[in-house]
Amino acid sequence: MGNIVDELKTILEPGKLAVDEQTLAIYAIDQAPVLDYQLPLAVVLAETVADVQAVVTACAKHHVPIVARGAGTGVSGGAHASPGCIVLGLERMNRILDLNPDDETAVVEPGVINADLNDAAAVHGLMYAPDPASFRTSTIGGNVATNAGGLRCAKYGVTRDSVLALDVVLADGSLIHTGHQTFKGVAGYDLTGLFVGSEGTLGIVVGATVRLKYLPREVHTIAAFYPDFRSAASGVLAVGKARVQPAIMELLDGGSLRQLDEIHGSDLSARGASLLLIQTDGFGAAAEADVVRDVLAAGGATVTTEASAEAEQLVELRRNSRGVEVDDEYRVGEDVAVPRSRLVDYVGELEAMAVAHGVQLKVVAHAGDGNLHPTFWVDRLDNQVDAEAMQRLGAALDKSITVALAMGGTITGEHGIGQYKLRWLGLEQPQPVRELQRRIKELFDPAGILNPGKAI
């Protein structure tokens, strides 16, 4: 411990290294359930690329693990501290280095907050399309690390679809640039795409060139209330058959609506047992919205034409639909995805498994791309839960995974594997595929110091 921390003290300017217990505790975890709580040896708050290179070089010399961290909003444990590690905080690297409205690109440091980039782009009639629910606090670097998604994924894609180039510090402290400034480019292997979603296990992103999209001139919001969740899921397929591509297509069950009402004082649960929230955007937004309303009404929904203020409120409520809780061992929010054609079937299975295992359930979904976030939990009494209840919760979680996979789905649509989902990765990816990934990891990080025990 002394060697690496003492060396970091000599190479970093004052204020960039923290070893006090309070800071170590803050940076030890993200928002995921904690399986193995560890305090880092130290926290580095990097401000420049040179800082990152110096820290990585020192850690490589001492064979000390490094966990890179953005805002800590991840929910899969990808930023949990590893034993004997240095946590490398990148939130101070928060400059927008270039924003070119003619090329429709931006060059940013990893600590730039998603919402801040959007605000800067909006001045030029542009937007950064990926919009995770935590967009007001999450960083672009963290979004890149997890290949984050969000509400607009169905139309605009996930983070990988907006990343053109990356500056990456490798495990030996060297700096490389991957990708291109152009929208098209197929020279060599797609290393940029490989780094996106690698959760800090292959290199540390210190800069990103991202593609911007046109800020929609018009947005229409449709709220469709249904008597049950499965009927609302059927509405998703009906919109698809009408060949309309909404920008946002979100699904909330009755439990989610009740929780939102309790938190925000809304009356959503009085208007239906499930809500399908759809936004169309662009110059054809009004025409598309008319088609959507007709399709949903024909399917039995109570369809409302929301005023602008309420439309914005509904979207904001959806963004906050995870509630005020943080996942822990008693409450786990999942992140599975299934083919859209199986959405109705999977929703039915979720409801059945909650009853069968005696656990509580609420579900929200990015319904446009089949990505669901079911949350299972068991109640506590004086912060205690008996072992039998924990077994039931674990069984429900396991079942939600195996059923999704049986339907052709995946164990994570946008949150990443991190530490928490490693237990299920072998169910989705066969051993030869996992071994190939381990070999790639070994090529980029032969000493295994970059975020060990995560992602693969």
Side-chain angles (χ1 to χ4, degrees), residues 8 26 28-29 36 80 83 129 138 164 194 235 264 291 338 359 366 400 416:
L8 292 176
I26 291 172
I29 59 172
D36 179 28
H80 284 350
S138 65
L164 300 174
L194 179 61
H264 301 286
V291 172
V338 297
V359 299
H366 305 303
S400 72

Side-chain angles (χ1 to χ4, degrees), residues 71-380:
T73 58
V75 290
S76 63
H80 284 350
S82 300
C85 79
I86 299 296
V87 170
L88 180 60
L90 300 168
E91 66 266 38
R92 291 184 181 178
M93 297 178 66
N94 58 3
R95 295 181 300 161
I96 298 174
L97 301 175
D98 182 58
L99 200 159
N100 190 319
D102 293 326
D103 288 339
E104 298 160 20
T105 61
V107 181
V108 301
E109 292 184 323
V112 170
I113 293 174
N114 190 297
D116 291 344
L117 177 57
N118 263 298
D119 289 343
V123 176
H124 305 284
L126 299 167
M127 69 176 182
Y128 178 62
D131 68 329
S134 57
F135 79 106
R136 285 195 174 88
T137 53
S138 65
T139 62
I140 300 298
N143 293 174
V144 170
T146 59
N147 192 23
L151 276 65
R152 292 193 289 243
C153 286
K155 183 171 183 176
Y156 295 103
V158 294
T159 298
R160 181 177 285 115
D161 300 306
S162 291
V163 176
L164 300 174
L166 293 172
D167 297 306
V168 183
V169 173
L170 299 179
D172 62 358
S174 61
L175 176 68
I176 65 169
H177 179 81
T178 70
H180 36 79
Q181 303 294 117
T182 55
F183 294 164
K184 296 170 69 175
V186 295
Y189 292 143
D190 183 10
L191 294 181
T192 303
L194 179 61
F195 280 116
V196 178
S198 63
E199 302 188 44
T201 62
L202 301 180
I204 297 174
V205 172
V206 292
T209 301
V210 298
R211 180 177 183 175
L212 304 175
K213 301 286 188 178
Y214 301 134
L215 191 66
R217 297 291 297 272
E218 191 173 356
V219 175
H220 283 249
T221 300
I222 303 103
F225 289 91
Y226 287 84
D228 60 78
F229 196 39
R230 274 173 275 187
S231 298
S234 297
V236 174
L237 299 181
V239 172
K241 290 176 181 178
R243 298 300 182 250
V244 174
Q245 179 60 76
I248 290 176
M249 201 171 192
E250 299 295 310
L251 191 56
L252 296 87
D253 73 348
S256 299
L257 297 183
R258 287 190 295 274
Q259 186 178 59
L260 288 173
D261 288 345
E262 292 171 2
I263 296 172
H264 301 286
S266 52
D267 66 344
L268 299 178
S269 59
R271 300 160 73 177
S274 185
L275 169 64
L276 180 57
L277 178 62
I278 294 176
Q279 278 191 351
T280 58
D281 68 358
F283 287 103
E288 290 180 332
D290 286 341
V291 172
V292 170
R293 290 188 187 98
D294 291 342
V295 167
L296 299 184
T302 301
V303 183
T304 59
T305 304
E306 306 296 347
S308 178
E310 184 171 8
E312 294 175 5
Q313 181 190 34
L314 286 172
V315 173
E316 287 306 305
L317 290 179
R318 166 60 188 96
R319 289 189 187 281
N320 292 291
S321 58
R322 279 182 59 83
V324 296
E325 313 99 324
V326 173
D327 289 352
D328 56 25
E329 63 268 37
Y330 312 105
R331 175 191 182 277
V332 180
E334 267 302 335
D335 170 45
V336 295
V338 297
R340 283 206 325 179
S341 62
R342 303 304 305 273
L343 191 63
V344 178
D345 298 331
Y346 188 65
V347 167
E349 290 282 356
L350 285 174
E351 294 175 336
M353 67 184 71
V355 173
H357 294 288
V359 299
Q360 299 193 60
L361 168 73
K362 74 182 186 74
V363 186
V364 297
H366 305 303
D369 52 22
N371 185 191
L372 301 100
H373 297 306
T375 296
F376 293 100
W377 76 95
V378 291
D379 289 327
R380 285 175 278 185

Side-chain angles (χ1 to χ4, degrees), residues 44-86:
V44 174
L45 300 172
E47 296 181 8
T48 66
V49 174
D51 287 342
V52 176
Q53 288 186 271
V55 171
V56 173
T57 300
C59 287
K61 171 184 171 183
H62 293 279
H63 302 286
V64 171
I66 310 166
V67 177
R69 174 190 171 97
T73 58
V75 290
S76 63
H80 284 350
S82 300
C85 79
I86 299 296

